[in-house]
Amino acid sequence: MAKIGRNTPCPCGSGLKYKKCCLQASEEAVAEPRTPRPCRWSLDEVNSMDTQEIIALLHKFGVPFEREQFFKDVDKHYSCSDLTKTWEKRYTIKAQGFDRDFVWMAIDVLWARLVPGKMNLEQLDSLIIQGYELLAERKSIAACDCWLLVWNTLKERFTQDMKDIQQAENEIFPNRESLLNMCQDLELELRNAGLHNSEYFDYRIQYCTEFMEFFPKSDNLLAHGMKRAIAESYFMLGEIDQAEKLFQALVEEFPDTVWSYIGWGDMYADKVDRAELDVQRAKKIYQMALGRGIEEESLVVHRIEDLDLGR
């Protein structure tokens, strides 16, 4: 790295002269060995530091941080852990002991502050966890918002070579929260959110449609759930004709799956805000499942019995 003049703009990108910015930290790094840190760093602690403090400490640890180079690095990486590995190969990292964690935490915090338009895998992982925490507080809409952001970010990286969501998880979201579980839970929670705000039924249709377009070879159970959710959402939005067509297609594609008939019949058997109660229609749909030797046929029988008893 070329010698930096005292009165030239600081390479960290602060806009200050070098002598007024990172020069002191660089000189201290040479003049004074850092006292070993007695405890681990936390992300909260690093995040409480201002940007210049973080950059100065990176300089002290042997990372000649420059914003322009950082932007280039972020553009080529998807995770803080991968960028940390690049820095460890490129620079002679002087951090020892507990201070070694500071480097990747600094990357995480500076990435969020300086490049907010590109989310890294660590941030997406945190959003998935945050979604489950919100669900525990019964905040379905907020949880869905977190997970939709994860989905909309990651789907830009899905390729035609990825046959199913598990393969996509292994290739672009490894060693994180389960992407498969999030995708399944998102479909379910978009329904709950839709009961409070019908706009989320539209989101559910879009999400499930995208999922099947990306992963048309999903296993039957997952594919059935997504297609049933689309049909159900159209029904809940009052688009009954479209919903009927999709439920008919569902029973034709999955004639031996009891939930094809239950999902369809339940639209008429359960009184909901956007559907008319039609016991006879529900019963007729349930009866379509009888005599096929379908596993769990008893579930349909119980529904028919409940209708006959007026329950």
Side-chain angles (χ1 to χ4, degrees), residues 32-63:
E32 298 179 20
R34 178 176 167 83
T35 302
R37 184 175 170 85
C39 59
R40 291 190 178 278
W41 285 93
S42 70
L43 273 173
D44 287 340
E45 184 179 2
V46 178
N47 203 34
S48 69
M49 300 168 64
D50 66 42
T51 299
Q52 284 310 118
E53 284 183 287
I54 296 173
I55 293 173
L57 195 48
L58 283 174
H59 279 239
K60 185 171 281 191
F61 290 149
V63 179

Side-chain angles (χ1 to χ4, degrees), residues 72-306:
K72 291 178 181 178
D73 286 343
V74 166
D75 190 53
K76 296 177 181 179
H77 295 77
Y78 286 104
S79 73
C80 297
S81 58
D82 286 344
L83 181 48
T84 302
K85 293 175 183 177
T86 295
W87 279 12
E88 288 173 344
K89 293 178 181 178
R90 183 190 301 163
Y91 309 123
T92 302
I93 305 296
K94 301 175 183 177
Q96 300 294 324
F98 291 131
D99 279 330
R100 293 187 65 83
D101 285 338
F102 178 83
V103 177
W104 74 260
M105 291 183 183
I107 291 175
D108 188 283
V109 172
L110 292 176
W111 190 318
R113 291 183 188 179
L114 304 180
V115 198
K118 180 180 179 180
M119 300 194 71
N120 57 51
L121 296 191
E122 288 82 3
Q123 291 169 327
L124 296 174
D125 199 47
S126 294
L127 276 175
I128 294 178
I129 295 171
Q130 183 181 344
Y132 283 111
E133 291 172 346
L134 289 166
L135 272 190
E137 299 173 11
R138 299 185 179 181
K139 297 178 180 178
S140 288
I141 289 179
C144 287
D145 289 343
C146 283
W147 291 344
L148 284 172
L149 180 54
V150 174
W151 171 258
N152 288 327
T153 301
L154 286 178
K155 73 183 183 183
E156 298 176 359
R157 299 189 59 200
F158 296 152
T159 68
Q160 292 181 345
D161 295 331
M162 297 175 185
K163 306 303 182 184
D164 56 44
I165 188 63
Q166 190 64 67
Q167 182 181 354
E169 177 175 327
N170 293 339
E171 292 186 18
I172 67 173
F173 205 66
N175 305 316
R176 311 286 173 184
E177 287 293 311
S178 172
L179 187 58
L180 170 61
N181 289 346
M182 187 210 77
C183 287
Q184 292 176 304
D185 292 336
L186 175 55
E187 178 267 301
L188 294 171
E189 290 308 319
L190 282 169
R191 181 189 188 281
N192 294 331
L195 295 174
H196 299 285
N197 181 344
S198 62
E199 189 174 11
Y200 283 81
F201 284 125
D202 287 312
Y203 295 155
R204 192 182 189 208
I205 291 170
Q206 179 180 347
Y207 161 67
C208 293
T209 300
E210 288 178 346
F211 186 95
M212 291 311 304
E213 288 174 349
F214 282 120
F215 307 114
K217 295 186 178 181
S218 297
D219 69 72
N220 283 345
L221 182 61
L222 184 53
H224 179 275
M226 292 292 176
K227 293 180 179 181
R228 175 186 166 191
I230 295 171
E232 180 184 84
S233 297
Y234 273 113
F235 205 108
M236 299 296 284
L237 287 168
E239 299 184 38
I240 309 302
D241 290 343
Q242 178 65 8
E244 285 280 310
K245 291 177 182 178
L246 292 173
F247 271 119
Q248 182 63 49
L250 189 69
V251 299
E252 290 174 2
E253 184 177 0
F254 301 96
D256 297 325
T257 301
V258 72
W259 291 100
S260 299
Y261 309 94
I262 291 177
W264 192 358
D266 282 356
M267 294 293 97
Y268 294 98
D270 294 334
K271 183 69 177 74
V272 293
D273 291 342
R274 299 166 189 82
E276 292 298 325
L277 184 66
D278 189 337
V279 172
Q280 293 307 311
R281 177 66 174 148
K283 187 174 181 179
K284 183 177 180 180
I285 293 170
Y286 291 148
Q287 289 172 336
M288 292 168 61
L290 302 180
R292 293 176 174 272
I294 295 176
E295 186 178 355
E296 296 185 301
E297 182 182 287
S298 60
L299 296 176
V300 175
V301 173
H302 290 154
R303 275 172 163 75
I304 294 173
E305 291 175 347
D306 286 343

